[in-house]
Amino acid sequence: LDGEVVNTNVLGEILWSIYFSLWTPDKRIEASEGWGGDRYVVVKRADGSLLGYHATIWDTPADAKQFAAAYEASVAKRFPGKERKVAIKTDGAKVFILDGDDDAKLFVTLIKGTKFS
């Protein structure tokens, strides 16, 4: 990972629901229902910026697409008037997010380093 790990955990369906209620309240229910699992890691980079690696899995590919669309919509609301680099990839029922950068190599590290059990 690109930096010092400052936090890692699972959000779960309830915390994703709270997240979406703050940033995209109209999508809160559809974006968080169907949660099957997740893990995130936040790292502090050498320049002091924070980078979030998120890996999620959903009950269905449709649930994954709803989550990914709502997350993408939330970024503009979290950082109004600012450009925020974010990379999102949906792969069937899985969604991978690199929040804070869109570097392809970092994104590949996230995807290859994620194991869903």
Side-chain angles (χ1 to χ4, degrees), residues 46-69:
D47 66 3
S49 65
L50 297 176
L51 175 60
Y53 296 85
H54 301 271
T56 66
I57 191 163
W58 300 87
D59 292 345
T60 68
D63 291 332
K65 286 180 184 178
Q66 289 176 330
F67 169 80

Side-chain angles (χ1 to χ4, degrees), residues 13 33 38 79 86 95 103 108-109 112:
E13 187 173 335
E33 282 185 337
D38 74 271
F79 302 97
V86 175
V95 179
D103 181 275
V108 168
T109 299
K112 287 187 175 182

